Structures are given as structure tokens and as C-alpha cells.
Amino acid sequence: MSMLYVDVAQNGNASIDSAITVDGFDECFSRLSDKPRPLNLNTERQRSCDERSLSELTIGLSPHPLFRNVDNSSRFMDHFDTGVHTPITPNGFETHPMVTEALDALRRSLVFFRGRPVGTIAALDSSDENLNYDQVFVRDFVPSALVFLMKGEPEVVKNFLVKTLRLQSWEKKIDQFQLGEGVMPASFKVLHDPKRNTETLMADFGESAIGRVAPVDSGFWWIILLRAYTKSTGDTSLAEKPECQKGMRLILSLCLSEGFDTFPTLLCADGCSMIDRRMGVYGYPIEIQALFFMALRCALLLLKQDAEGKAFVERIAKRLHALSFHMRSYFWLDLKQLNDIYRYKTEEYSHTAVNKFNVMPDSLPEWVFDFMPKHGGYFLGNVGPSNMDFRWFCLGNCMAILSSLATPEQSTAIMDLIESRWQELVGEMPLKVCYPAIESHEWRIVTGCDPKNTRWSYHNGGSWPVLLWLLTAACIKTGRPQVARRAIELAETRLSKDNWPEYYDGKLGRYIGKQARKFQTWSIAGYLVAKMMLEDPSHLGMVALEEDKQMKPVLKRSSSWTL
């Protein structure tokens, strides 16, 4: 079975939504509140500690309380045509012509199934072959979903969560091999049959993807988005449904399963994340580890305290402690740690070894010595046996800040590095997906001579406007809104004029990507999320969690953290 189909007649058969029944609450989630309640990683279900410090963000951007109900959403433009309307506030950020244009483009990207909006198409560029850009991608829809939630229109997000959950429950086979139950689709498409008066959902679990790689990140994004929906709306009923609880447990079963691994990180193949082609990230890529960490923390807030839920809470708590220690200890790089690696001894044996992964100092790339500022640091791209990928990856580092995988000191150091290396990481168009690009013979070996990932293009050092929302959220969480404002203003000089491309090429992001689609929806949505979050930082609560004090690693304070 090469593709997955779900046939639903427009007249007669019950909709997918009707299959989801409302279950009584054993214990409701806590509703939105400004009261500080720290997260306790034990078998007792607790409120997240994101209710604490985030509610105390008083950085001069907005007088509004941090966590507000959707009833207070009248600051934004009219809702999209899905039945809810609120007045426009004069002289608000909505009057910016690019915002108006972007909101209109986002509205046109909506995909409907049986008359209901269920997501947004990847791109509306009709000038080139569609490939899979005519589908709704799980990872691509996240910034679009955040826009809808910020505007107080959660219906699209709820429909999307329910439809993808339904698709997860279907049998998934690729070349006679059955995938795990918990795998979420990479994308889905709505097919219309006017003769039969039916609409069909066609899902891709990797069997049609370039490289045929399953999307590891889809399940994590789904859990993160479910928590954002619950946080924004205060509606606990969706997450409390048995089907949602089972869907989360299935995702968690896949990533918490026991095996031969000696690390708490999650082993992943190339192409399983935003970087969905071979780019030398096989092993333990920072993007997946940060999303894994965030999804685990969100799941703690969403799982019910029944017998099955408690068992998973215990497993999650243990994994979080081990994962946070491992990442903060071994993935972290600053000037002191770089110098320590430079002086590593090799072939060390026993638990007293300092060079635990047997990394050869001669493998240190020359560029990293000049790239590392005196004050600053970042999480490495990958760490494994005799392997340290020293490349800087944007999504993983920003998500580490938002999830509090990074300590407050590490979060500050990451922002210091971004500011110190602004020209390299931001340039003329935010934001580099990774730095630096791999070139020449190394490019041939690492990418398999992929012509789309040539140096400073696409995933290989290309600039992706969608990352603007992650940078903005990280800036607000670390108290540096001026950095986000600078990046947004830079993007506004070109994004609209260039018709919202998917990515930019060149060391400085000066050129529209050679194969970039125009009117890329997540480029549009990423800009909107950044603008709306900067206008009202209370929205940060949907995508950020505060540090849990029980997950303190045993680390010596580096001199680069002394600011």
C-alpha cells in the first residue's frame, strides 16, 4: 500500500470529527493563569513552571497580562472567514501594508475538507511544478497555526489536530514494511471527486517523500501544537479525549522505547526533520533532540493521570532528567569547552574518561576558532562516537531556549553569539538554517552531490525567513526584543517585494533561492508570528516553557557565561 486514503462522502457518512467522542475528565488541565506554579517531575501531575517567569515578562512591549483568554483577541484584524469576527483596532500593527498582505495570503492558502478549514497549503506558487508543495505539512503548518491562535481563531488548528490524529490511526506500510503505530504523517492532501461527490484525504508517511524518510519531527510538532492550542484557548476538552491521549502515548512509545543505545538522545537518520535531505546529520541532530525535549515537557502537561498516563509520566520524568544533563553537558560549546576539546587526550577508558566520545582534536574545523566569540556559545549540531558536528543550527538552538533545554546562562550565551555573529547568521535576510556551508569534496561526500544543497543554498547554509518566528520568540524569552525588531525590519525590506520566497542563497542571503518557491506559506506565517509576538509578548506562553529547577546539570560555570 503506497499511499493512505480516507474516503468520506460529503453527504451521508459521518465526518472524521464525529468519530472523536468527548470523555469525562479525571482531572482537568489547569486553565490559563498568571500564578506561579513550578513543574515537578514526579508521578504527580503538576502545572508547568512556564506559568511563572513568563508571566513576569515586563520588557516594555505590552501592558497586557501574559496569559490572556481568547476573548481578549480584539486587538487583531477580522478573523478569517470561518464564522468569528472581531473589530479592528485603529493604528495597530495590522495597518502595516506587509501585515495586511501576509494575512490575505495566509487566508488564500487555507485548505478545506468537507467545508471546514484543516490547514494551509505549503506554497501557492503556480509558476513551477508543484511536487508536494500542494499539500498540508505538519511542520509547515505550525507557524500558520500560531497565527490563527493569536488571532483568537482556533477552529483551523483544532480541525488540523483531529484530522492528523485520525490519519495516525491508519495502517502504514511502505514496500510491505509496516511503520510504527505512532508515526504521524509528514503531510496530507485533499482530493476532490465531483462525480462521486466525495473528498479524500491522502497522507504521506514517507513513502512518497524524497529519500523515503519518515518524518520523526511530525509527532513532536503535533504534541507541541496541541499544548499551544490548549494554552491559547483554555479548552482542555480536546487534549482530554481518549483518542488524543492514545495518540500522544503512541508517539511517546516510539521515542521512549528501550534499545541498545547508551545515550538518552534520540537516534535519527538524515532527512527526518526540517533538513529533509542528506546533510550529514545522521545520529543525534540538535533539532530533533530539542523538539524531543519540548514534546516530552508538553506531554507532561497534557497526559491524564489514569493508569496508562501515570506510567508514561514516570518514563518521561526519568528521560527528561537524563536528556537535559546529557545535552547541557556534552552538546554545549563555548570558548572554554572549545579549548578543552582542543587539548583532549584520546583512547581514554573507564568512567573517569574526560573525552567520553573519543573525539580527535585534529577533527576540529578551522572555522570554529574564529567563529566562537569571547562571550557566547551554542549547542553543537550532533554528538556521537568520535563525532562532533560543530555546525550551528538555528531551529535546534532557538527551540532549546524556548523549551528551557538551555539553562538561563546558556540561553544568554546563544543570544550573545547571534549578536556577535550577526553578519554570518543573519546577514541581509534572516536566518541561516545552519552555519557554515559545506563545500567541495566534503559536499560531495556528505550530501551525495545533491545539486539543491550546494554551498550557501537550501539546507546547506541557506537563509530561511520562516525561522524569524523562532528567533523572535527566543529574543523575547531572553529579554532582547530589540534583536528581534532588528531582524524583522531587515526582512521587511525584501520579503514582500520578492514574493515571499521559501529560502535565500548566498553567504549573506542576498539572492532568492535558485529553486525556492514563491508565496511559501510558512515564510508568510513566520513573519506574521514574529510581528504579532513582538506586538504582544503574551503570545510567547504558547511556545515557551520556563526552566524546571529539578533538572540542574552538574556543570561548572564557564567564563563565557559571565556577562
Side-chain angles (χ1 to χ4, degrees):
M1 161 170 166
S2 60
M3 302 296 288
L4 171 66
Y5 294 90
V6 184
D7 288 322
V8 181
Q10 288 194 13
N11 297 308
N13 291 347
S15 69
I16 290 178
D17 287 2
S18 64
I20 308 292
T21 58
V22 180
D23 181 55
F25 301 157
D26 288 333
E27 179 185 1
C28 291
F29 302 34
S30 6
R31 292 186 64 87
L32 300 181
S33 170
D34 292 325
K35 297 181 180 179
R37 300 188 184 181
L39 176 64
N40 183 14
L41 289 181
N42 56 26
T43 56
E44 294 299 319
R45 189 157 174 263
Q46 301 288 339
R47 285 279 307 269
S48 164
C49 64
D50 68 332
E51 303 288 344
R52 201 164 40 77
S53 297
L54 288 179
S55 66
E56 298 166 7
L57 276 175
T58 53
I59 50 181
L61 290 179
S62 171
H64 299 283
L66 183 62
F67 299 119
R68 58 175 177 77
N69 293 322
V70 296
D71 294 334
N72 191 29
S73 60
S74 61
R75 307 179 64 222
F76 301 107
M77 287 185 63
D78 283 3
H79 293 297
F80 300 151
D81 298 330
T82 53
V84 182
H85 297 277
T86 54
I88 300 176
T89 302
N91 302 320
F93 86 104
E94 312 91 340
T95 57
H96 193 292
M98 264 187 68
V99 172
T100 303
E101 177 190 338
L103 286 169
D104 181 63
L106 188 61
R107 180 175 64 249
R108 286 185 278 114
S109 73
L110 280 169
V111 173
F112 290 82
F113 181 70
R114 299 191 75 245
R116 295 183 177 183
V118 293
T120 50
I121 199 170
L124 285 170
D125 187 358
S126 59
S127 63
D128 204 348
E129 183 185 359
N130 274 330
L131 289 177
N132 52 3
Y133 284 80
D134 61 345
Q135 299 184 25
V136 179
F137 280 80
V138 173
R139 77 172 66 97
D140 289 41
F141 179 66
V142 171
S144 296
L146 295 178
V147 174
F148 291 122
L149 292 175
M150 289 178 184
K151 286 171 56 61
E153 181 170 354
E155 181 189 357
V156 186
V157 183
K158 183 176 183 179
N159 293 340
F160 170 86
L161 290 167
V162 170
K163 293 297 179 290
T164 47
L165 180 66
R166 182 65 174 170
L167 293 172
Q168 181 204 38
S169 67
W170 285 73
E171 183 182 77
K172 302 170 279 288
K173 282 188 178 180
I174 300 178
D175 293 336
Q176 302 182 26
F177 177 74
Q178 186 166 326
L179 278 67
E181 280 189 276
V183 174
M184 280 287 183
S187 62
F188 66 86
K189 184 177 181 179
V190 178
L191 299 178
H192 304 270
D193 185 347
K195 292 183 179 180
R196 295 174 56 196
N197 194 29
T198 61
E199 288 186 336
T200 304
L201 285 179
M202 180 178 71
D204 177 17
F205 290 90
E207 69 271 32
S208 298
I210 296 172
R212 302 302 188 265
V213 180
V216 175
D217 62 338
S218 289
F220 298 151
W221 279 123
W222 189 88
I223 293 175
I224 292 167
L225 186 57
L226 178 61
R227 184 259 174 187
Y229 168 85
T230 305
K231 189 70 173 177
S232 174
T233 63
D235 174 18
T236 62
S237 63
L238 177 62
E240 291 280 357
K241 291 176 181 177
E243 292 81 1
C244 276
Q245 292 289 309
K246 180 182 178 181
M248 281 189 287
R249 292 196 301 267
L250 288 175
I251 295 170
L252 294 169
S253 293
L254 283 177
C255 58
L256 293 175
S257 59
E258 297 177 350
F260 291 100
D261 218 331
T262 58
F263 313 136
T265 40
L266 194 63
L267 182 63
C268 296
D270 265 320
C272 60
S273 59
M274 175 185 175
I275 297 178
D276 58 8
R277 292 188 180 214
R278 180 178 167 189
M279 269 290 292
V281 298
Y282 178 86
Y284 307 93
I286 179 60
E287 175 183 334
I288 291 298
Q289 311 315 318
L291 288 172
F292 180 32
F293 185 87
M294 181 66 156
L296 289 180
R297 292 200 65 191
C298 289
L300 277 180
L301 306 174
L302 300 170
L303 286 170
K304 294 172 66 176
Q305 284 300 290
D306 51 20
E308 291 178 298
K310 285 184 178 180
F312 274 96
V313 166
E314 292 176 357
R315 294 172 65 186
I316 291 170
K318 292 178 181 179
R319 191 62 169 265
L320 280 173
H321 280 282
L323 184 60
S324 62
F325 174 83
H326 183 91
M327 296 296 296
R328 294 169 178 179
S329 302
Y330 305 125
F331 271 68
W332 181 252
L333 187 72
D334 58 16
L335 191 59
K336 180 184 181 301
Q337 180 67 7
L338 180 59
N339 194 70
D340 290 344
I341 297 171
Y342 180 69
R343 293 169 50 82
Y344 266 169
K345 294 179 181 179
T346 60
E347 304 298 327
E348 293 182 294
Y349 181 75
S350 88
H351 64 277
T352 60
V354 175
N355 185 2
K356 295 187 177 182
F357 299 95
N358 198 35
V359 173
M360 306 299 163
D362 287 345
S363 68
L364 281 164
E366 291 185 8
W367 63 265
V368 75
F369 294 99
D370 293 328
F371 180 72
M372 181 60 66
K374 183 178 180 181
H375 299 293
Y378 63 103
F379 286 100
L380 294 171
N382 211 326
V383 175
S386 295
N387 172 47
M388 280 190 176
D389 184 346
F390 290 88
R391 286 177 294 177
W392 181 89
F393 288 85
C394 178
L395 194 154
N397 275 275
C398 287
M399 187 55 71
I401 293 175
L402 297 179
S403 65
S404 287
L405 171 59
T407 65
E409 294 88 355
Q410 288 172 335
S411 296
T412 296
I414 292 171
M415 295 308 303
D416 284 346
L417 179 120
I418 292 174
E419 289 197 78
S420 297
R421 297 293 174 255
W422 187 264
Q423 195 73 350
E424 292 92 336
L425 302 180
V426 180
E428 296 186 16
M429 176 55 66
L431 191 65
K432 288 293 180 194
V433 66
C434 71
Y435 180 90
I438 51 179
E439 309 180 55
S440 304
H441 185 58
E442 185 185 9
W443 165 78
R444 294 184 179 91
I445 294 173
V446 172
T447 74
C449 298
D450 188 342
K452 197 168 184 179
N453 272 331
T454 54
R455 62 177 185 171
W456 307 114
S457 180
Y458 203 47
H459 301 127
N460 189 13
S463 298
W464 291 71
V466 64
L467 297 172
L468 191 61
W469 83 263
L470 284 157
L471 175 65
T472 300
C475 288
I476 295 173
K477 189 168 188 279
T478 54
R480 303 193 190 188
Q482 72 282 358
V483 176
R485 188 173 294 110
R486 180 183 176 191
I488 292 171
E489 289 173 353
L490 193 61
E492 287 177 337
T493 62
R494 295 188 56 193
L495 263 181
S496 176
K497 295 177 182 177
D498 295 338
N499 294 322
W500 308 94
E502 180 183 13
Y503 64 94
Y504 286 79
D505 286 351
K507 275 191 175 183
L508 300 178
R510 184 172 291 174
Y511 309 101
I512 298 175
K514 57 186 175 183
Q515 294 188 41
R517 296 302 195 277
K518 301 290 185 69
F519 299 101
Q520 185 81 12
T521 304
W522 73 347
S523 295
I524 295 166
Y527 165 73
L528 285 172
V529 173
K531 288 287 284 188
M532 298 169 83
M533 195 172 289
L534 196 60
E535 172 73 10
D536 183 357
S538 70
H539 296 308
L540 181 65
M542 287 191 289
V543 293
L545 296 168
E546 276 304 308
E547 183 184 27
D548 174 47
K549 301 303 182 182
Q550 297 189 35
M551 292 191 293
K552 285 287 188 182
V554 182
L555 285 177
K556 293 182 179 179
R557 187 178 179 91
S558 167
S559 58
S560 70
W561 297 348
T562 305
L563 305 171

